[in-house]
Amino acid sequence: MDLSAPLAWLVDEASASLEPDRLLSELGRLLVADGLPLAGGALTLAVPHPILARRTWLWRAETEVVIESLGFAGAASDRAGYDWLASLGPVLEQSGGSGMERAALGWAGTRPFGSDEAEQLGQVARFAAAPLAALAERAALAALLEAYLGRRSAARVRAGALTRGTGETIRAALFYADLRSFTVLSETTEPALVIAALDAWFDRVAGAIHAFGGEVLKFIGDGVLAIFPVSGSPTEACDAALRAVTAARAGMAHLDATRRAEGLPQLSFGVALHLGDILWGNIGAADRLDFTAIGPAVNLVSRLEGLCRPLGRSVLISGAVANATTTPLLPLGDHALRGIAAPCAVFTLPDA
C-alpha cells in the first residue's frame, strides 16, 4: 500500500511512546511538507483529574512552537483550542472538539481547505485514531496517578517501579502537619461540615507545599506528610519547606477569619520540619502496594509534631533543619521524643 509520508509516519512511528506535543508538531510538519496549507493545529486530550478536565497542545506552523493550554473542570468553554485555531484561519475539526471525546485533533488553514485537502485530512484523522487512543490512555493514567500519588511518585510508578520492596534512599526536608482537636470537632459536627473543613485545611497546606516545590506523599486522617527533596543544597530544600510553612499559616489565618465570621470554630494545627534520609518506594502486601516514605527521619518528624501542644508552639523545627536553613530561628532546647533514642534539638519560628 502506497502511503503518503504523514500516513506512513502515523502507522510506523507515531505510537512509539511519543508525547502529545511531539506528535502534534511532527505530524503538522509532515503535513505542511506534503503540501497542505496549515497555519496551526490543536490536540486535546480529556483527563480524569479533580481539577483539570483536558489538556490542549497548540502548534503554530510559522514558528513550529508548541504551547500547552489547560482546561479546568467546570470551565464555561471547552473550545479554547479551537477558538485559538480560528484566530489563525479556517478550521477543520477532525474529531468533534466539544471536549467530550477522549482525544480531538483540529487544524487551521492559511486559506479555506479544498475538497481534496479536506479528504486528505480526513485520512489523517482515520490513521491518527490509534496513536491518539494510546496517548489518551497514557494521559488518563498519568492524571489518575498524579491525583492519588503526587507528581514525583506517579512518575516513578509510570517508569516501572512496581515491585514490593523496591525504592531509593533520598535526602529531603520533611513536612508533617496535623490538625488539633479534630476528633472532638468530628464528633460534634455533621459529616458534611467535617469534610468541608478537612478539604479547606488540605487546600491551604497542600497548596503551600506545592507552591514551593514540595510534594504531598500522604494524607493521614487529618494529617499531611510531604517532602522537599534535596536536589541542590540542603539549604534550598529547608528554606523552601519553611516558606511553605509561612504560606500555610497565612492561608489558615485567612480561613479562620472566614470561619469565625460564619460562627464556626477555628482550625488550629501544628507543623514539624526535619531534614534526613528516607526510603522512598513500594511498601505493602503482595497485591496491594503503597508508594510512600519510611525511615527514622519520618518517625522523628511525626514525633516532633506531637510536641507542638506540650510546648505551646504551632511550628517546631529540628536541629538538622536549623543547621541548614538561613531563616532566623528561636531555640527551645533539647527534647526527648517518644521512640527516638537521642534527644532532639528543637527550634521554632519567632512568631509561632
Side-chain angles (χ1 to χ4, degrees):
M1 185 177 181
D2 187 18
L3 296 177
S4 66
L7 298 185
W9 180 80
L10 285 170
V11 171
D12 296 332
E13 300 180 46
S15 295
S17 301
L18 281 182
E19 292 300 316
D21 56 342
R22 288 185 56 204
L23 185 145
L24 178 64
S25 62
E26 183 65 13
L27 180 56
R29 185 187 65 79
L30 289 171
L31 290 173
V32 169
D34 207 36
L36 281 167
L38 297 185
L43 169 60
T44 296
L45 299 178
V47 292
H49 190 275
I51 296 176
L52 300 178
R54 63 204 165 277
R55 300 174 66 189
T56 298
W57 289 265
L58 308 169
W59 168 77
R60 189 160 189 164
E62 182 181 2
T63 60
E64 297 190 348
V65 170
V66 179
I67 62 172
E68 184 180 354
S69 170
L70 301 179
F72 295 93
S77 173
D78 287 338
R79 297 182 53 83
Y82 291 93
D83 291 342
W84 179 82
L85 283 182
S87 72
L88 300 181
V91 177
L92 187 147
E93 299 181 12
Q94 291 195 301
S95 50
S98 67
M100 298 302 294
E101 298 84 3
R102 296 178 64 194
L105 187 63
W107 305 100
T110 56
R111 56 168 172 75
F113 295 108
S115 59
D116 289 345
E117 293 163 343
E119 183 178 350
Q120 186 178 351
L121 287 174
Q123 281 284 88
V124 168
R126 287 190 286 275
F127 277 76
L132 289 180
L135 278 180
E137 287 288 343
R138 288 202 295 270
L141 177 60
L144 285 172
L145 288 175
E146 287 186 14
Y148 284 92
L149 297 179
R151 180 169 49 85
R152 290 185 181 90
S153 297
R156 289 291 312 285
V157 172
R158 288 175 63 201
L162 301 173
T163 306
R164 180 172 62 169
T166 59
E168 63 174 321
T169 298
I170 66 171
R171 192 158 185 80
L174 287 86
F175 177 118
Y176 186 82
D178 189 49
L179 281 178
R180 294 278 169 264
S181 305
F182 194 74
T183 301
V184 174
L185 179 65
S186 62
E187 290 176 350
T188 58
T189 308
E190 61 180 272
L193 292 178
V194 172
I195 293 173
L198 271 180
D199 286 345
W201 151 244
F202 288 140
D203 274 343
R204 270 68 178 181
V205 68
I209 290 165
H210 292 152
F212 292 98
E215 179 159 333
V216 172
L217 289 186
K218 192 177 293 295
F219 297 115
I220 311 166
D222 58 1
V224 180
L225 174 64
I227 58 172
F228 293 78
V230 175
S231 55
S233 71
T235 297
E236 292 174 353
C238 292
D239 286 350
L242 280 161
R243 287 193 289 271
V245 168
T246 299
R249 293 176 68 205
M252 288 302 292
H254 182 269
L255 175 63
D256 281 338
T258 302
R259 287 177 62 85
R260 283 194 302 271
E262 296 172 352
L264 298 172
Q266 69 179 33
L267 299 175
S268 59
F269 63 98
V271 180
L273 299 180
H274 180 49
L275 175 68
D277 295 331
I278 59 173
L279 176 62
W280 184 44
N282 283 307
I283 293 119
D287 60 350
R288 175 61 174 88
L289 299 176
D290 189 13
F291 202 92
T292 189
I294 62 171
V298 178
N299 297 335
L300 190 148
V301 75
S302 173
R303 298 291 187 261
L304 181 59
E305 191 279 328
L307 275 184
C308 286
R309 189 195 298 268
L311 295 183
R313 302 284 180 170
S314 60
V315 180
L316 293 181
I317 299 155
S318 74
V321 173
N323 290 335
T325 186
T326 58
T327 304
L329 300 175
L330 179 67
L332 299 177
D334 293 350
H335 293 267
L337 301 176
R338 182 169 58 88
I340 307 297
C344 177
V346 179
F347 296 76
T348 190
L349 294 172
D351 63 343

